[in-house]
Amino acid sequence: MKKLLIVLSIIIASVVAVVLLALGAVQLALKPDNGNRLLDKYLPQFLNAQAQYDSLDLNIFTTWPYVQLRLDGVLVKTLAFEEPDTLLAVKSLGAMVNAGEFLTSGEIKVSYVNIDNPYIKAQKRDSIYSWNVIEPSEEVDTTATEMPVIVADLLSINNARVVFRDMDSHFMAEIDSLDLKADDTEILPTLMKCYAEAGISSLFYNDSVANRKCSVNDFSLKLNAFRDDKVTDLLLFNAKSDDICLKDSMFNVERTSLDMFVRATADSLYEKFIVDTLGVRVDETTLTLNGGVTPDFGDTLAIG
């Protein structure tokens, strides 16, 4: 019996040592110098892009069964053009995922994902889009894959900036200071629900060919989506701004308020939408087209 206990102790100690060595090797590999070298070597095999980061913290032991991740100073460059150009930059990204639940049931349970100061630079030059970074596959995968169960308590994006420039048609659009928050999101085989709110400091586009400019300041968006085995995808959408300016070759609108409510259903692929309620309030004028549902211009979107 004593010999058996000694053998078992040696086996357990060996397993623990191997796990610690493996985790130590992972932590060493993920240090910026080593991790960036791995990205330079292997990422181009899968994406037409370059990537690097300043620091990475991975926490397993103190948070198990949750795994906590933090990335700082993320930079992704597209190789779609002759010279590498910025596609995405993120000041910091943090996430916590229940790894134990994923290993036992395959469910993806996310406590939070937090993205600070992301910058997206999208471009089109000579009919080439900067986000075309996925190499085309010679083999077409026709295997049917089932959507995994995804449950997320909180998704937040803070102070995002998105810029799009079409060099071919001299068009540009920009979103500044975008804040997005989504609570209690569930994506299951028989259920989907999500409630999200977004605020935008300013939205601007300029089409020099059509001589058209538009700016929207202090823009707020709300989305409530729901589906189960009895209800088709139901989408409630509310957009509001008190400062909209639109300048066209034919008309000019300045400092106009807009409050819009949309209730619609969609197919499972979100390719077709059927709008059953549309409410638009411009300044003090209201237009409503509905199927018996009163537009909700208030602070909440309730599915009923």
Side-chain angles (χ1 to χ4, degrees), residues 140-150 187-189 269:
V140 179
D141 187 3
T142 58
T143 306
T145 56
E146 184 177 340
M147 175 68 72
V149 174
I150 302 176
I187 302 177
L188 314 177
L269 297 178

Side-chain angles (χ1 to χ4, degrees), residues 140-189:
V140 179
D141 187 3
T142 58
T143 306
T145 56
E146 184 177 340
M147 175 68 72
V149 174
I150 302 176
V151 179
D153 293 334
L154 176 63
L155 167 64
S156 64
I157 299 174
N158 306 306
N159 197 31
R161 183 169 179 244
V162 182
V163 176
F164 172 69
R165 289 186 174 89
D166 187 338
M167 307 299 185
D168 299 337
S169 59
H170 305 285
F171 173 88
M172 72 164 294
E174 182 173 331
I175 296 175
D176 197 22
S177 299
L178 166 66
D179 295 319
L180 172 66
K181 180 180 178 183
D183 294 312
D184 298 325
T185 299
E186 294 186 34
I187 302 177
L188 314 177

Side-chain angles (χ1 to χ4, degrees), residues 7-276:
V7 172
L8 290 175
S9 299
I10 293 174
I11 292 174
I12 294 172
S14 300
V15 171
V16 171
V18 169
V19 172
L20 290 175
L21 286 173
L23 290 175
V26 170
Q27 292 283 8
L28 181 62
L30 294 179
K31 287 184 176 294
D33 292 342
N34 298 325
N36 287 327
R37 277 198 294 268
L38 291 173
L39 285 173
D40 289 340
K41 183 177 181 179
Y42 294 108
L43 186 64
Q45 299 179 20
F46 304 96
L47 297 175
N48 193 25
Q50 298 174 341
Q52 66 183 59
Y53 61 90
D54 292 339
S55 66
L56 185 151
D57 291 324
L58 184 64
N59 201 339
I60 298 177
F61 290 112
T62 59
T63 57
W64 187 261
Y66 292 91
V67 173
Q68 194 172 30
L69 171 73
R70 180 182 174 89
L71 267 170
D72 292 322
V74 179
L75 177 63
V76 179
K77 292 185 176 182
T78 178
L79 300 178
F81 307 125
E82 292 184 5
E83 296 292 332
D85 203 347
T86 298
L87 178 63
L88 171 68
V90 178
K91 181 180 180 181
S92 67
L93 183 152
M96 180 179 281
V97 181
N98 192 327
E101 189 73 30
F102 178 74
L103 292 174
T104 56
S105 66
E107 295 184 3
I108 301 175
K109 291 191 174 180
V110 181
S111 294
Y112 68 85
V113 174
N114 186 71
I115 304 173
D116 288 329
N117 297 95
Y119 168 55
I120 299 174
K121 183 182 178 183
Q123 300 179 72
K124 179 187 175 188
R125 300 185 205 164
D126 300 323
S127 301
I128 298 174
Y129 293 93
S130 61
W131 58 87
N132 286 343
V133 296
I134 300 178
E135 297 287 354
S137 176
E138 296 180 358
E139 298 181 0
V140 179
D141 187 3
T142 58
T143 306
T145 56
E146 184 177 340
M147 175 68 72
V149 174
I150 302 176
V151 179
D153 293 334
L154 176 63
L155 167 64
S156 64
I157 299 174
N158 306 306
N159 197 31
R161 183 169 179 244
V162 182
V163 176
F164 172 69
R165 289 186 174 89
D166 187 338
M167 307 299 185
D168 299 337
S169 59
H170 305 285
F171 173 88
M172 72 164 294
E174 182 173 331
I175 296 175
D176 197 22
S177 299
L178 166 66
D179 295 319
L180 172 66
K181 180 180 178 183
D183 294 312
D184 298 325
T185 299
E186 294 186 34
I187 302 177
L188 314 177
T190 58
L191 172 68
M192 185 276 291
K193 67 175 184 177
C194 176
Y195 181 80
E197 295 186 16
I200 299 173
S201 174
S202 65
L203 184 154
F204 172 81
Y205 82 82
N206 181 14
D207 187 342
S208 58
V209 174
N211 191 23
R212 181 179 298 118
K213 294 182 180 180
C214 178
S215 65
V216 182
N217 297 312
D218 296 326
F219 194 45
S220 66
L221 301 170
K222 296 180 183 179
L223 172 69
N224 200 347
F226 179 80
R227 180 192 71 224
D228 63 16
D229 55 354
K230 297 180 181 180
V231 178
T232 308
D233 289 62
L234 179 62
L235 308 173
L236 303 182
F237 176 81
N238 180 234
K240 184 176 182 179
S241 175
D242 292 327
D243 187 1
I244 296 178
C245 298
L246 176 62
K247 184 177 181 180
D248 193 270
S249 57
M250 297 180 64
F251 57 86
N252 187 20
V253 176
E254 294 185 357
R255 303 194 63 84
T256 298
S257 66
L258 170 70
D259 198 347
M260 181 172 68
F261 173 88
V262 178
R263 177 185 172 114
T265 56
D267 63 1
S268 58
L269 297 178
Y270 296 97
E271 294 178 343
K272 296 180 180 179
F273 293 87
I274 299 175
V275 177
D276 57 28

